[in-house]
Amino acid sequence: MDGFDRIPDPLILFIFNSLSDVKTLIRCRAVSKRFNSLVPQTESLLLKVDCVISPESDESDTPFLHFFKTIVKSVHNLVSLSAKTHPELQNRPARSQNSPGQILRGFERIRDLVIELPAGDLKLDRNAVVKWRAEFGKTLKNCVIFAFRDVKPSTSTQIPAEFADLDFAGGLKLRVVWTISALIAASARHYLLREVVEEHEEIEKLVVTDKEGEGTLVMNKEGLAELRAAGVAQVSEHKEWAAHYRGWDQESNGSRTMVPSVRMRMRHVAKTELKSGAWLDGATLVVVRPTTIMCKDGVAEVEVDEEGQRVDDVEEDVAGDVNLALMAFENDGACGEAVQALVKTRSYHLEMNSF
């Protein structure tokens, strides 16, 4: 009996949960029969998508087609590694390996899952930054978006001259484009998770983020239960992933989760100075929450939020949006600092139909 054999199973599982990286854990399964039987019991997982670009990709690819091609390439590499070690995977068709759900089928007790993408989903103008955090259940619950056009380092207390003249109409259009783009990116990530949520009923928290820190999608225990209860669309893997290879169909409900009708509270400051002395150009904060209309005999009665609560109390509504914004970026350094300044400014209310 060697030293490893003396280590109790709970301690080994604690180590595996601390490792969490799926690729590393798959390799651990090849170490011994004991490891092979314990790895599937790991409860905390991190699935990192490699920064490998499919050779078929070209500059004409849309951001989302490029995104899905990257997912497919990375997961295929992971599954190929696992199949060499586990004969049962070799009998499955190669086509079904092209999804995150396939690689996770070897894990039986997932409680906390994080999927890290190699990059953000948005193609932005030079120097522009858009960051978002969205919470989902069966559909969007809320989304907080922070963006700015440029950052200027400055040691002077004077406002940079180039900030003096701004195209406010064009600026509003740009802010709306940022908002819609972030919502589409979030809904695309949510759609990607449906297979995983359906097959792993034990998951209690699911997060999708990216290395660039652009966007974070969060589903908690209640949201996951809500999605399962609503029923996951039964779409064959072949049709689902073939659709992504053909291109991103903006009109297809099969390419992403539909964004419901929403109300948006937008705050914008032409120039924001940070404690470091840098200036943010066009700092924008948008809080998005779904809006529905309660009807009786076909007659609209009262506007409510996704939890069925009245939203006619403007002060309470604003306070809720402020809390969402602060929590979304509370640990995000300079962005968190800018958000704290933005929530103190005047807000504008906008509405958008589902898409």
Side-chain angles (χ1 to χ4, degrees), residues 94-107:
R95 181 187 305 160
S96 67
Q97 296 175 356
N98 293 339
S99 70
Q102 174 62 30
I103 187 61
L104 295 173
R105 285 174 187 162
F107 296 89

Side-chain angles (χ1 to χ4, degrees), residues 187 191 235 239-240 243-244 246-258 355:
S187 63
Y191 181 81
V235 181
K239 292 182 179 179
E240 177 181 341
H244 296 317
R246 286 196 300 270
W248 188 265
D249 181 2
Q250 295 280 4
E251 302 299 325
S252 171
N253 289 333
S255 57
R256 60 175 176 84
T257 302
M258 178 176 286
F355 61 92

Side-chain angles (χ1 to χ4, degrees), residues 5-300:
D5 292 329
R6 298 190 184 95
I7 301 176
D9 288 353
L11 182 54
I12 293 180
L13 285 173
F14 176 80
I15 295 173
F16 286 163
N17 282 315
S18 299
L19 283 174
S20 72
D21 181 63
V22 170
K23 199 168 186 177
T24 301
L25 290 171
I26 288 176
R27 289 169 175 165
C28 287
R29 296 190 69 168
V31 172
S32 66
K33 291 183 178 180
R34 187 185 182 200
F35 276 24
N36 184 47
S37 65
L38 290 175
V39 165
Q41 301 178 40
T42 307
E43 298 182 350
S44 179
L45 295 179
L46 169 62
L47 176 57
K48 292 184 178 180
V49 178
D50 295 336
C51 297
V52 178
I53 306 303
S54 173
E56 294 80 17
S57 296
D58 56 48
E59 292 181 328
S60 65
D61 284 346
T62 66
F64 300 108
L65 178 57
H66 172 81
F67 160 67
F68 276 107
K69 283 185 177 182
T70 305
I71 290 282
V72 168
K73 178 69 175 179
S74 175
V75 176
H76 175 74
N77 289 342
L78 286 174
V79 176
S80 297
L81 174 64
S82 180
K84 293 178 181 178
T85 309
H86 308 290
E88 66 272 14
L89 292 181
Q90 296 178 356
N91 297 326
R92 293 178 180 171
R95 181 187 305 160
S96 67
Q97 296 175 356
N98 293 339
S99 70
Q102 174 62 30
I103 187 61
L104 295 173
R105 285 174 187 162
F107 296 89
E108 305 165 354
R109 301 182 181 179
I110 306 174
R111 292 288 186 271
D112 191 343
L113 174 63
V114 177
I115 299 177
E116 183 184 272
L117 305 179
D121 308 316
L122 309 180
K123 287 186 176 180
L124 304 171
D125 294 334
R126 181 174 175 269
N127 297 330
V129 173
V130 175
K131 306 188 75 172
W132 55 268
R133 183 186 187 279
E135 182 178 353
F136 275 79
K138 65 180 178 181
T139 186
L140 179 71
K141 287 182 173 290
N142 62 71
C143 183
V144 181
I145 303 160
F146 171 70
F148 56 89
R149 284 194 283 195
D150 201 357
V151 58
K152 302 286 186 181
S154 176
T155 57
S156 171
T157 56
Q158 304 247 346
I159 297 175
E162 55 266 41
F163 288 171
D165 297 321
L166 295 174
D167 179 1
F168 289 103
L172 177 59
K173 179 180 178 180
L174 180 61
R175 295 192 286 277
V176 172
V177 169
W178 285 342
T179 301
I180 294 175
S181 298
L183 290 174
I184 290 176
S187 63
R189 292 189 185 186
H190 180 255
Y191 181 81
L192 178 68
L193 302 176
R194 298 171 75 89
E195 179 189 8
V196 176
V197 174
E198 177 188 21
E199 297 185 356
H200 295 273
E201 297 183 357
E202 70 280 3
I203 296 180
E204 297 180 352
K205 184 177 181 181
L206 202 164
V207 177
V208 182
T209 184
D210 58 84
K211 288 184 178 180
E212 295 179 352
E214 177 187 279
T216 300
L217 181 148
V218 178
M219 295 185 71
N220 57 26
K221 187 175 182 179
E222 292 74 18
L224 291 163
E226 181 182 301
L227 178 58
R228 296 187 189 105
V232 179
Q234 301 297 320
V235 181
S236 69
E237 287 180 312
H238 170 64
K239 292 182 179 179
E240 177 181 341
W241 290 91
H244 296 317
Y245 272 112
R246 286 196 300 270
W248 188 265
D249 181 2
Q250 295 280 4
E251 302 299 325
S252 171
N253 289 333
S255 57
R256 60 175 176 84
T257 302
M258 178 176 286
V259 176
S261 297
V262 296
R263 57 184 179 80
M264 304 179 291
R265 193 169 299 281
M266 180 181 293
R267 293 174 168 84
H268 168 70
V269 177
K271 50 204 173 295
T272 304
E273 183 180 16
L274 303 177
K275 293 178 181 178
S276 63
W279 291 88
L280 297 184
D281 175 10
T284 301
L285 176 67
V286 185
V287 179
V288 181
R289 290 201 277 182
T291 299
T292 58
I293 301 295
M294 294 294 291
C295 298
K296 183 177 182 180
D297 298 328
V299 179

